[in-house]
Amino acid sequence: MEWFYYLQSIGILLLVLSLFPIALHFYKKYTVKNTSENSIKLLAVKPVSYKAQILLIEVEGKKFLVGYSDKGFSLLGEIKHDG
């Protein structure tokens, strides 16, 4: 009778562990949809020197020029289209 409880415990453990991949699948499925609406897109990269670049990025429909060097990032400005 001891073996029955042992096998029952292993069965319950396997059932619980099998639920983790299913939960992870649904977590990724619903979080990716929410983050894709507010994604950051890298539109262009222009090297200025050996250690510096200018990046054109789009965040939530707005375009920004960002400078990047070995000292870090700095916002250069926002691109606005009048029209």
Side-chain angles (χ1 to χ4, degrees), residues 10 17 32 51 56 60 64 69 75:
I10 290 177
L17 290 178
V32 169
K51 294 184 177 182
L56 177 61
E60 297 180 356
F64 298 97
S69 68
L75 178 64

Side-chain angles (χ1 to χ4, degrees), residues 7 9-10 12 16 20 33 40-42 44 50 52-53 58 61 63 65-66 74-75 77 81:
L7 292 176
S9 299
I10 290 177
I12 292 172
V16 170
F20 282 119
K33 283 187 178 180
I40 299 173
K41 297 177 185 175
L42 180 63
Y50 177 70
Q53 300 172 346
E58 183 177 354
K63 295 180 182 177
L65 279 177
V66 177
S74 60
L75 178 64
H81 293 285

